[in-house]
Amino acid sequence: MSDWPTLESSANAVMIATFGVPATFTPQDGSGGWLDTQAIVGIVMRPAMLEDYPAGFGPGTSNLRLWVNFETLWPPPQHGDQIGFSGTTYLVQEVEADIGGGAVLKLRTT
């Protein structure tokens, strides 16, 4: 019998290494302040709603969906945290974590 969680974790790492792009993650500290900014890697996903430009690549873009390897981020992203990508700062609106260790962060520009 295979070790499914180990296989999923390995698959997530390969996907990030192959398709990942650098971003920054600035979590809230719970008291209205911010913790140190962290360098992260995520995969930009096709936006749920079409905009004038692909997410993160031009003016008019306000939404971004970013897949991250959730088990490698601490603290876990939550509503209101900031993600910087391609010169734009986004706020985390929703976090859709899956049981395989990944999560889709639904982001909107500040």
XYZ file of all heavy atoms in Angstrom:
826
model
N 0.843 -1.179 0.000
C 0.000 0.000 0.000
C 0.892 1.247 0.000
O 1.854 1.338 0.738
C -0.893 -0.031 1.238
C -1.893 1.076 1.276
S -3.079 0.760 2.601
C -3.482 2.406 2.995
N 0.543 2.226 -0.833
C 1.364 3.436 -0.933
C 1.021 4.431 0.173
O -0.058 4.387 0.761
C 1.175 4.093 -2.296
O -0.151 4.560 -2.414
N 1.927 5.327 0.415
C 1.739 6.382 1.404
C 1.183 7.609 0.675
O 1.937 8.454 0.193
C 3.066 6.676 2.090
C 2.933 7.717 3.189
O 1.799 8.087 3.556
O 3.984 8.175 3.667
N -0.145 7.695 0.550
C -0.793 8.727 -0.246
C -0.396 10.152 0.160
O -0.096 10.966 -0.711
C -2.305 8.550 -0.203
C -2.996 9.455 -1.163
C -3.719 10.573 -0.878
C -2.990 9.372 -2.592
N -4.179 11.179 -2.020
C -3.732 10.449 -3.087
C -2.408 8.479 -3.495
C -3.929 10.672 -4.441
C -2.617 8.692 -4.851
C -3.364 9.781 -5.302
N -0.378 10.512 1.446
C 0.030 11.881 1.802
C 1.441 12.234 1.316
O 1.695 13.358 0.886
C -0.052 11.899 3.325
C -1.054 10.852 3.651
C -0.849 9.773 2.622
N 2.360 11.288 1.362
C 3.713 11.545 0.877
C 3.706 11.761 -0.632
O 4.396 12.656 -1.146
C 4.648 10.372 1.244
O 4.654 10.228 2.661
C 6.057 10.604 0.745
N 2.917 10.972 -1.361
C 2.812 11.139 -2.810
C 2.221 12.505 -3.156
O 2.711 13.186 -4.066
C 1.950 10.031 -3.420
C 2.556 8.631 -3.397
C 1.519 7.612 -3.867
C 3.797 8.573 -4.254
N 1.176 12.930 -2.444
C 0.576 14.241 -2.698
C 1.548 15.368 -2.406
O 1.651 16.331 -3.177
C -0.692 14.427 -1.859
C -1.893 13.757 -2.435
C -3.146 14.063 -1.654
O -3.124 13.957 -0.414
O -4.148 14.420 -2.298
N 2.266 15.269 -1.322
C 3.245 16.287 -0.966
C 4.330 16.379 -2.036
O 4.742 17.472 -2.436
C 3.855 15.963 0.398
O 4.764 16.950 0.772
N 4.789 15.246 -2.532
C 5.803 15.229 -3.586
C 5.261 15.837 -4.874
O 5.965 16.591 -5.555
C 6.276 13.800 -3.851
O 6.925 13.280 -2.718
N 4.020 15.523 -5.223
C 3.400 16.084 -6.430
C 3.271 17.602 -6.312
O 3.524 18.338 -7.277
C 2.036 15.448 -6.670
N 2.871 18.096 -5.136
C 2.762 19.541 -4.922
C 4.117 20.221 -5.121
O 4.210 21.274 -5.753
C 2.238 19.846 -3.520
C 0.775 19.503 -3.348
O 0.053 19.273 -4.319
N 0.324 19.455 -2.106
N 5.168 19.623 -4.593
C 6.513 20.202 -4.714
C 6.957 20.251 -6.178
O 7.552 21.236 -6.621
C 7.510 19.400 -3.880
N 6.643 19.217 -6.950
C 7.005 19.194 -8.374
C 6.232 20.268 -9.130
O 6.793 20.972 -9.976
C 6.747 17.797 -8.976
C 6.825 17.830 -10.497
C 7.741 16.788 -8.422
N 4.947 20.429 -8.851
C 4.131 21.440 -9.533
C 4.670 22.848 -9.250
O 4.783 23.670 -10.156
C 2.670 21.330 -9.102
C 2.007 20.048 -9.537
S 1.934 19.843 -11.319
C 0.609 20.932 -11.709
N 4.997 23.119 -7.999
C 5.541 24.434 -7.625
C 6.878 24.670 -8.329
O 7.132 25.748 -8.866
C 5.690 24.555 -6.096
C 4.335 24.767 -5.436
C 6.653 25.663 -5.702
C 3.734 26.135 -5.627
N 7.749 23.657 -8.342
C 9.056 23.808 -8.976
C 8.930 24.026 -10.484
O 9.728 24.750 -11.076
C 9.920 22.577 -8.689
N 7.916 23.437 -11.090
C 7.753 23.522 -12.546
C 7.029 24.789 -12.985
O 7.449 25.455 -13.927
C 6.984 22.291 -13.058
O 7.684 21.108 -12.659
C 6.855 22.315 -14.576
N 5.941 25.132 -12.310
C 5.076 26.224 -12.762
C 5.043 27.434 -11.829
O 4.379 28.416 -12.119
C 3.633 25.713 -12.936
C 3.519 24.575 -13.902
C 3.271 23.293 -13.456
C 3.679 24.793 -15.265
C 3.171 22.227 -14.348
C 3.580 23.740 -16.166
C 3.322 22.456 -15.705
N 5.745 27.374 -10.719
C 5.666 28.423 -9.715
C 6.307 29.736 -10.118
O 7.247 29.776 -10.907
N 5.748 30.807 -9.570
C 6.279 32.156 -9.759
C 6.493 32.773 -8.378
O 5.760 32.471 -7.435
C 5.325 33.043 -10.596
C 5.215 32.523 -12.013
C 3.961 33.139 -9.951
N 7.498 33.639 -8.227
C 7.752 34.235 -6.914
C 6.692 35.269 -6.538
O 6.168 35.987 -7.393
C 9.123 34.879 -7.072
C 9.287 35.106 -8.536
C 8.479 34.056 -9.230
N 6.407 35.330 -5.264
C 5.477 36.312 -4.704
C 5.945 36.598 -3.280
O 6.871 35.967 -2.776
C 4.048 35.772 -4.712
N 5.314 37.578 -2.645
C 5.599 37.852 -1.230
C 4.315 37.684 -0.437
O 3.226 37.983 -0.912
C 6.149 39.272 -1.010
O 5.217 40.216 -1.521
C 7.491 39.449 -1.694
N 4.460 37.217 0.773
C 3.337 36.965 1.670
C 3.572 37.771 2.936
O 4.593 37.622 3.595
C 3.269 35.461 1.969
C 2.324 35.075 3.072
C 1.045 35.601 3.157
C 2.719 34.147 4.015
C 0.179 35.224 4.171
C 1.864 33.750 5.034
C 0.592 34.288 5.114
N 2.628 38.665 3.252
C 2.715 39.465 4.476
C 1.501 39.150 5.334
O 0.398 39.653 5.084
C 2.761 40.970 4.153
O 3.784 41.216 3.191
C 3.035 41.783 5.407
N 1.680 38.287 6.351
C 0.553 37.921 7.206
C 0.272 38.980 8.263
O 1.158 39.728 8.663
C 1.013 36.616 7.848
C 2.501 36.666 7.825
C 2.882 37.523 6.647
N -0.976 39.009 8.710
C -1.365 39.873 9.826
C -0.923 39.202 11.125
O -0.826 37.988 11.192
C -2.884 40.029 9.860
C -3.467 40.559 8.566
C -4.974 40.480 8.591
O -5.616 41.305 9.203
N -5.498 39.473 7.937
N -0.696 39.992 12.132
C -0.290 39.393 13.408
C -1.454 39.226 14.374
O -1.263 38.794 15.506
C 0.843 40.181 14.047
C 0.415 41.544 14.590
O -0.784 41.885 14.523
O 1.286 42.265 15.074
N -2.666 39.572 13.953
C -3.828 39.398 14.811
C -4.155 40.606 15.659
O -5.205 40.683 16.275
N -3.257 41.595 15.716
C -3.513 42.782 16.531
C -3.568 44.049 15.683
O -3.394 45.143 16.191
C -2.418 42.921 17.593
O -1.180 43.193 16.981
N -3.765 43.869 14.381
C -3.819 45.023 13.496
C -2.484 45.366 12.878
O -2.390 46.268 12.071
N -1.442 44.652 13.258
C -0.121 44.879 12.680
C 0.231 43.782 11.696
O -0.594 42.934 11.364
N 1.465 43.798 11.236
C 1.891 42.837 10.227
C 3.156 42.136 10.680
O 4.004 42.713 11.343
C 2.150 43.550 8.892
C 0.920 44.211 8.381
C 0.526 45.503 8.602
C -0.117 43.614 7.628
N -0.682 45.747 8.019
C -1.105 44.605 7.402
C -0.313 42.349 7.102
C -2.268 44.354 6.688
C -1.464 42.111 6.381
C -2.424 43.102 6.180
N 3.275 40.874 10.308
C 4.491 40.106 10.554
C 5.456 40.340 9.396
O 5.103 40.983 8.406
C 4.152 38.618 10.674
C 3.212 38.244 11.829
C 2.838 36.773 11.754
C 3.849 38.556 13.172
N 6.656 39.817 9.493
C 7.653 39.988 8.432
C 7.161 39.400 7.112
O 6.515 38.345 7.079
C 8.971 39.309 8.817
C 9.673 40.035 9.949
O 9.410 41.241 10.143
O 10.478 39.389 10.641
N 7.505 40.077 6.033
C 7.185 39.603 4.691
C 8.015 38.368 4.383
O 9.189 38.302 4.717
C 7.464 40.710 3.664
O 6.611 41.816 3.949
C 7.221 40.241 2.251
N 7.380 37.381 3.756
C 8.044 36.136 3.401
C 8.018 35.945 1.888
O 7.015 36.241 1.251
C 7.322 34.946 4.031
C 7.133 35.024 5.517
C 6.196 33.926 6.002
O 6.130 32.851 5.426
N 5.463 34.208 7.069
N 9.106 35.441 1.335
C 9.122 35.062 -0.076
C 8.428 33.709 -0.211
O 8.723 32.779 0.545
C 10.553 34.974 -0.589
N 7.471 33.622 -1.129
C 6.770 32.367 -1.384
C 6.757 32.121 -2.885
O 7.124 32.977 -3.676
C 5.320 32.365 -0.830
C 4.460 33.416 -1.556
C 5.317 32.580 0.682
C 2.969 33.300 -1.247
N 6.318 30.937 -3.266
C 6.156 30.579 -4.667
C 4.747 30.034 -4.830
O 4.276 29.244 -4.013
C 7.198 29.522 -5.106
C 6.989 29.121 -6.552
C 8.602 30.049 -4.900
N 4.055 30.487 -5.864
C 2.699 30.020 -6.138
C 2.493 29.854 -7.632
O 3.337 30.247 -8.444
N 1.382 29.263 -7.990
C 1.035 29.060 -9.396
C -0.169 29.930 -9.707
O -1.224 29.796 -9.079
C 0.715 27.583 -9.673
C 1.946 26.723 -9.383
C 0.242 27.400 -11.123
C 1.687 25.231 -9.421
N -0.008 30.856 -10.660
C -1.109 31.728 -11.066
C -2.095 30.889 -11.870
O -1.724 30.208 -12.828
C -0.601 32.917 -11.907
C -1.763 33.753 -12.412
C 0.355 33.766 -11.091
N -3.351 30.942 -11.455
C -4.403 30.181 -12.124
C -5.245 31.105 -12.987
O -5.305 32.307 -12.744
C -5.277 29.495 -11.074
C -4.519 28.542 -10.170
S -5.544 27.845 -8.880
C -6.706 26.911 -9.846
N -5.899 30.527 -13.946
C -6.806 31.288 -14.801
C -7.849 31.962 -13.913
O -8.413 31.341 -13.026
C -7.490 30.344 -15.783
C -8.391 31.023 -16.777
C -9.014 30.007 -17.707
N -8.000 29.193 -18.351
C -7.608 29.346 -19.608
N -8.157 30.267 -20.353
N -6.676 28.564 -20.118
N -8.097 33.259 -14.134
C -9.070 33.950 -13.284
C -10.480 33.404 -13.485
O -10.829 32.953 -14.577
C -8.973 35.407 -13.733
C -8.342 35.376 -15.076
C -7.515 34.126 -15.142
N -11.260 33.442 -12.424
C -12.643 32.974 -12.494
C -13.478 33.894 -13.380
O -14.405 33.463 -14.040
C -13.235 32.881 -11.098
N -13.133 35.181 -13.368
C -13.828 36.159 -14.199
C -12.798 36.804 -15.109
O -11.742 37.228 -14.651
C -14.494 37.227 -13.325
C -15.614 36.692 -12.467
S -16.305 37.929 -11.336
C -16.671 39.280 -12.425
N -13.115 36.874 -16.394
C -12.174 37.480 -17.330
C -12.031 38.968 -17.073
O -12.988 39.652 -16.734
C -12.651 37.243 -18.762
C -12.635 35.789 -19.214
C -13.173 35.684 -20.633
C -11.234 35.211 -19.138
N -10.810 39.453 -17.226
C -10.525 40.872 -17.088
C -9.786 41.332 -18.339
O -9.484 40.528 -19.218
C -9.678 41.120 -15.837
C -10.411 40.721 -14.559
C -9.665 41.169 -13.328
O -9.498 42.384 -13.162
O -9.249 40.306 -12.560
N -9.471 42.617 -18.408
C -8.810 43.166 -19.588
C -7.437 42.540 -19.830
O -7.002 42.423 -20.960
C -8.649 44.686 -19.457
C -9.990 45.400 -19.475
O -10.965 44.809 -19.979
O -10.044 46.535 -18.990
N -6.733 42.170 -18.784
C -5.397 41.603 -18.882
C -5.336 40.360 -18.015
O -6.041 40.271 -17.013
C -4.338 42.590 -18.378
C -4.218 43.830 -19.231
C -5.010 44.936 -18.982
C -3.310 43.891 -20.276
C -4.914 46.083 -19.760
C -3.196 45.029 -21.056
C -3.995 46.114 -20.796
O -3.899 47.242 -21.568
N -4.463 39.406 -18.339
C -4.295 38.260 -17.453
C -3.844 38.722 -16.062
O -3.137 39.719 -15.938
C -3.202 37.436 -18.128
C -3.196 37.884 -19.546
C -3.638 39.332 -19.518
N -4.238 37.999 -15.070
C -3.949 38.381 -13.677
C -2.474 38.668 -13.447
O -1.614 37.889 -13.819
C -4.395 37.265 -12.749
N -2.203 39.839 -12.845
C -0.850 40.219 -12.483
C -0.004 40.766 -13.613
O 1.170 41.032 -13.427
N -0.587 40.975 -14.795
C 0.215 41.355 -15.942
C -0.220 42.640 -16.622
O 0.104 42.859 -17.765
C 0.230 40.225 -16.966
C 0.917 39.002 -16.452
C 0.188 37.912 -16.030
C 2.294 38.946 -16.350
C 0.818 36.787 -15.534
C 2.927 37.820 -15.861
C 2.190 36.738 -15.453
N -0.923 43.518 -15.948
C -1.243 44.775 -16.599
C -2.330 45.539 -15.888
O -2.958 45.031 -14.961
N -2.543 46.769 -16.332
C -3.592 47.586 -15.722
C -4.963 46.972 -15.974
O -5.174 46.277 -16.955
C -3.442 48.931 -16.434
C -2.750 48.623 -17.711
C -1.886 47.418 -17.444
N -5.871 47.215 -15.068
C -7.212 46.676 -15.211
C -7.399 45.345 -14.520
O -8.500 44.836 -14.430
N -6.306 44.758 -14.030
C -6.403 43.466 -13.362
C -6.616 43.675 -11.876
O -5.830 44.345 -11.219
C -5.113 42.655 -13.582
O -4.926 42.501 -14.979
C -5.196 41.307 -12.931
N -7.705 43.139 -11.356
C -7.974 43.339 -9.936
C -8.097 42.031 -9.168
O -8.071 42.027 -7.955
C -9.247 44.164 -9.749
O -10.352 43.494 -10.305
N -8.247 40.907 -9.861
C -8.404 39.615 -9.203
C -7.277 38.674 -9.599
O -6.802 38.719 -10.731
C -9.736 38.965 -9.602
C -10.906 39.764 -9.111
O -11.114 39.900 -7.926
N -11.667 40.320 -10.039
N -6.894 37.831 -8.671
C -5.849 36.849 -8.934
C -6.168 35.609 -8.126
O -6.565 35.701 -6.959
C -4.483 37.412 -8.525
C -3.275 36.524 -8.731
C -2.969 36.377 -10.226
C -2.065 37.096 -8.016
N -6.033 34.454 -8.754
C -6.133 33.183 -8.034
C -4.745 32.570 -8.031
O -4.136 32.409 -9.085
C -7.148 32.253 -8.695
C -8.545 32.779 -8.563
C -9.638 31.893 -9.112
N -9.211 30.930 -10.088
C -9.730 29.697 -10.197
N -10.664 29.292 -9.382
N -9.297 28.878 -11.121
N -4.245 32.288 -6.850
C -2.876 31.788 -6.686
C -2.916 30.474 -5.920
O -3.396 30.420 -4.784
C -2.031 32.821 -5.928
C -0.547 32.553 -5.813
C 0.138 32.711 -7.177
C 0.095 33.499 -4.803
N -2.417 29.400 -6.558
C -2.326 28.107 -5.881
C -1.013 28.061 -5.129
O 0.036 28.405 -5.679
C -2.389 26.962 -6.889
C -2.433 25.621 -6.227
C -3.549 24.921 -5.879
C -1.328 24.819 -5.811
N -3.197 23.740 -5.271
C -1.832 23.655 -5.219
C 0.053 24.989 -5.870
C -1.018 22.658 -4.704
C 0.875 23.988 -5.347
C 0.331 22.837 -4.777
N -1.073 27.679 -3.869
C 0.132 27.581 -3.037
C 0.181 26.217 -2.362
O -0.837 25.556 -2.180
C 0.180 28.694 -1.957
C 0.299 30.065 -2.590
C -1.024 28.633 -1.029
N 1.375 25.812 -2.014
C 1.570 24.598 -1.230
C 1.318 24.992 0.225
O 2.207 25.467 0.925
C 2.979 24.051 -1.443
C 3.132 22.655 -0.917
O 2.271 22.132 -0.218
N 4.246 22.031 -1.246
N 0.087 24.841 0.670
C -0.396 25.354 1.947
C 0.419 24.843 3.133
O 0.644 25.564 4.102
C -1.869 24.973 2.101
C -2.643 25.797 3.072
C -2.779 27.163 2.895
C -3.279 25.208 4.152
C -3.520 27.934 3.786
C -4.018 25.966 5.036
C -4.140 27.320 4.859
N 0.879 23.611 3.038
C 1.588 23.027 4.181
C 2.979 23.613 4.388
O 3.606 23.377 5.415
C 1.654 21.508 4.044
C 2.322 21.016 2.792
C 2.120 19.527 2.550
O 1.244 18.916 3.157
O 2.865 18.983 1.731
N 3.470 24.424 3.444
C 4.802 25.027 3.599
C 4.737 26.476 4.087
O 5.779 27.099 4.267
C 5.585 24.988 2.271
O 4.906 25.788 1.302
C 5.734 23.566 1.762
N 3.531 27.026 4.270
C 3.390 28.423 4.694
C 3.035 28.504 6.173
O 2.165 27.788 6.655
C 2.287 29.115 3.874
C 2.473 29.144 2.363
C 1.300 29.838 1.712
C 3.767 29.831 1.999
N 3.729 29.428 6.876
C 3.395 29.648 8.281
C 3.561 31.120 8.608
O 4.598 31.676 8.294
C 4.260 28.810 9.209
C 3.760 28.945 10.610
C 4.306 29.722 11.594
C 2.596 28.366 11.165
N 3.556 29.637 12.732
C 2.487 28.808 12.498
C 1.610 27.514 10.670
C 1.450 28.433 13.327
C 0.585 27.147 11.511
C 0.524 27.600 12.818
N 2.575 31.744 9.188
C 1.265 31.192 9.509
C 0.443 30.974 8.244
O 0.742 31.571 7.205
C 0.637 32.272 10.394
C 1.303 33.542 9.983
C 2.688 33.169 9.566
N -0.580 30.126 8.321
C -1.400 29.884 7.134
C -2.074 31.174 6.667
O -2.525 31.974 7.493
C -2.452 28.878 7.604
C -1.945 28.329 8.889
C -1.028 29.353 9.475
N -2.124 31.425 5.374
C -2.802 32.624 4.875
C -4.269 32.653 5.308
O -4.910 31.613 5.405
C -2.700 32.488 3.351
C -1.540 31.588 3.132
C -1.538 30.638 4.286
N -4.743 33.875 5.567
C -6.135 34.049 5.965
C -6.671 35.354 5.380
O -5.910 36.179 4.879
C -6.266 34.045 7.479
C -5.512 35.177 8.153
C -5.637 35.148 9.656
O -6.586 34.605 10.193
N -4.675 35.723 10.349
N -7.962 35.537 5.470
C -8.616 36.734 4.942
C -7.920 37.989 5.473
O -7.675 38.119 6.664
C -10.102 36.742 5.345
C -10.834 37.954 4.868
N -11.253 38.099 3.569
C -11.192 39.074 5.510
C -11.861 39.264 3.435
N -11.836 39.876 4.607
N -7.572 38.900 4.563
C -6.953 40.163 4.957
C -5.442 40.201 4.853
O -4.849 41.273 4.876
N -4.788 39.034 4.749
C -3.330 39.022 4.555
C -3.005 39.623 3.194
O -3.863 39.732 2.323
C -2.787 37.592 4.625
C -2.803 37.019 6.032
O -2.989 37.773 6.997
O -2.639 35.788 6.155
N -1.746 39.997 2.995
C -1.323 40.601 1.736
C -0.409 39.660 0.955
O 0.438 38.993 1.531
C -0.558 41.905 1.984
C -1.395 42.999 2.585
C -0.602 44.279 2.805
O 0.608 44.337 2.617
N -1.295 45.325 3.210
N -0.619 39.646 -0.372
C 0.242 38.909 -1.289
C 0.720 39.904 -2.338
O -0.088 40.586 -2.969
C -0.511 37.752 -1.993
C -1.103 36.767 -0.987
C 0.403 37.058 -2.998
C -0.117 35.883 -0.280
N 2.019 40.018 -2.514
C 2.585 40.873 -3.546
C 3.010 40.027 -4.726
O 3.678 39.003 -4.555
N 2.582 40.440 -5.919
C 2.939 39.693 -7.117
C 3.032 40.642 -8.302
O 2.124 41.446 -8.528
C 1.888 38.608 -7.410
C 2.110 37.902 -8.711
C 3.151 37.007 -8.862
C 1.301 38.159 -9.790
C 3.365 36.373 -10.070
C 1.506 37.531 -11.001
C 2.536 36.634 -11.138
N 4.127 40.592 -9.009
C 4.323 41.364 -10.236
C 4.057 42.854 -10.027
O 3.414 43.501 -10.847
C 3.442 40.794 -11.346
O 3.789 41.339 -12.591
N 4.522 43.394 -8.894
C 4.389 44.823 -8.628
C 3.042 45.268 -8.098
O 2.815 46.462 -7.915
N 2.138 44.336 -7.837
C 0.805 44.669 -7.331
C 0.600 43.997 -5.983
O 1.025 42.862 -5.780
C -0.287 44.192 -8.319
O -0.055 44.797 -9.586
C -1.679 44.559 -7.838
N -0.054 44.705 -5.065
C -0.386 44.128 -3.760
C -1.851 43.692 -3.780
O -2.733 44.457 -4.152
C -0.170 45.139 -2.629
O 1.212 45.537 -2.642
C -0.508 44.541 -1.279
N -2.076 42.454 -3.378
C -3.414 41.875 -3.320
C -3.750 41.536 -1.879
O -2.863 41.200 -1.091
C -3.483 40.581 -4.141
C -3.263 40.770 -5.618
C -1.981 40.754 -6.160
C -4.333 40.952 -6.481
C -1.773 40.921 -7.523
C -4.137 41.115 -7.849
C -2.858 41.095 -8.357
O -2.659 41.265 -9.707
N -5.025 41.605 -1.535
C -5.504 41.141 -0.239
C -6.150 39.776 -0.415
O -6.901 39.554 -1.378
C -6.536 42.101 0.352
C -6.015 43.445 0.839
C -7.173 44.294 1.373
C -4.972 43.264 1.931
N -5.882 38.874 0.519
C -6.513 37.559 0.493
C -7.991 37.739 0.839
O -8.324 38.303 1.882
C -5.843 36.594 1.490
C -6.577 35.271 1.543
C -4.368 36.394 1.140
N -8.854 37.287 -0.056
C -10.296 37.347 0.170
C -10.827 36.012 0.691
O -11.662 35.977 1.574
C -11.035 37.719 -1.123
C -10.631 39.071 -1.674
C -10.958 40.196 -0.717
O -12.094 40.350 -0.288
N -9.961 40.985 -0.366
N -10.345 34.922 0.088
C -10.770 33.578 0.484
C -9.594 32.629 0.378
O -8.702 32.819 -0.450
C -11.874 33.054 -0.439
C -13.208 33.729 -0.291
C -14.251 33.096 -1.199
O -14.388 31.850 -1.181
O -14.908 33.836 -1.939
N -9.626 31.600 1.207
C -8.632 30.532 1.156
C -9.392 29.225 0.997
O -10.230 28.888 1.835
C -7.779 30.478 2.448
C -6.798 29.311 2.393
C -7.059 31.797 2.664
N -9.129 28.520 -0.094
C -9.764 27.228 -0.323
C -8.703 26.144 -0.214
O -8.050 25.802 -1.202
C -10.426 27.183 -1.699
C -11.645 28.065 -1.814
C -12.316 27.952 -3.175
O -11.778 27.273 -4.085
O -13.384 28.558 -3.329
N -8.517 25.643 0.997
C -7.523 24.599 1.236
C -8.120 23.241 0.864
O -9.319 23.018 1.024
C -7.098 24.600 2.692
N -7.258 22.355 0.346
C -7.718 21.001 0.055
C -6.995 20.019 0.954
O -6.012 20.366 1.607
C -7.545 20.653 -1.430
C -6.092 20.670 -1.887
O -5.245 20.082 -1.197
O -5.820 21.254 -2.944
N -7.480 18.797 0.988
C -6.896 17.812 1.902
C -5.530 17.321 1.421
O -4.830 16.655 2.160
C -7.843 16.614 2.129
C -8.132 15.902 0.804
C -9.108 17.046 2.813
C -8.885 14.593 0.975
N -5.150 17.689 0.191
C -3.867 17.253 -0.345
C -2.708 18.171 -0.026
O -1.604 17.977 -0.513
N -2.932 19.221 0.771
C -1.845 20.108 1.175
C -1.748 21.396 0.383
O -0.926 22.249 0.680
N -2.579 21.559 -0.648
C -2.569 22.785 -1.438
C -3.715 23.695 -1.051
O -4.592 23.328 -0.274
N -3.686 24.907 -1.587
C -4.774 25.855 -1.354
C -4.810 26.860 -2.496
O -3.775 27.239 -3.029
C -4.604 26.588 -0.025
N -6.010 27.281 -2.858
C -6.185 28.361 -3.808
C -6.487 29.611 -2.998
O -7.432 29.635 -2.192
C -7.337 28.079 -4.790
C -7.586 29.297 -5.674
C -7.016 26.861 -5.638
N -5.658 30.640 -3.177
C -5.888 31.927 -2.535
C -6.609 32.812 -3.535
O -6.101 33.052 -4.632
C -4.566 32.573 -2.110
C -3.638 31.745 -1.226
C -2.376 32.539 -0.914
C -4.335 31.302 0.029
N -7.786 33.274 -3.183
C -8.523 34.200 -4.031
C -8.168 35.606 -3.567
O -8.419 35.966 -2.416
C -10.020 33.945 -3.942
C -10.399 32.592 -4.522
C -11.884 32.370 -4.470
C -12.239 31.044 -5.091
N -13.692 30.802 -5.063
N -7.555 36.368 -4.464
C -6.969 37.651 -4.115
C -7.659 38.790 -4.877
O -8.153 38.599 -5.980
C -5.478 37.655 -4.453
C -4.665 36.451 -3.971
C -3.260 36.519 -4.526
C -4.668 36.376 -2.465
N -7.625 39.986 -4.281
C -8.152 41.185 -4.923
C -7.193 42.340 -4.614
O -6.650 42.421 -3.525
C -9.552 41.501 -4.401
C -10.198 42.667 -5.084
C -11.707 42.568 -4.956
N -12.362 43.612 -5.687
C -12.607 43.605 -6.986
N -12.250 42.577 -7.705
N -13.209 44.594 -7.576
N -7.002 43.225 -5.590
C -6.074 44.336 -5.382
C -6.565 45.226 -4.258
O -7.759 45.328 -3.982
C -5.913 45.192 -6.650
O -7.190 45.623 -7.090
C -5.196 44.452 -7.735
N -5.597 45.896 -3.623
C -5.922 46.788 -2.507
C -6.350 48.141 -3.032
O -6.138 48.489 -4.150
C -4.703 46.985 -1.595
O -3.602 47.455 -2.365
C -4.346 45.677 -0.928
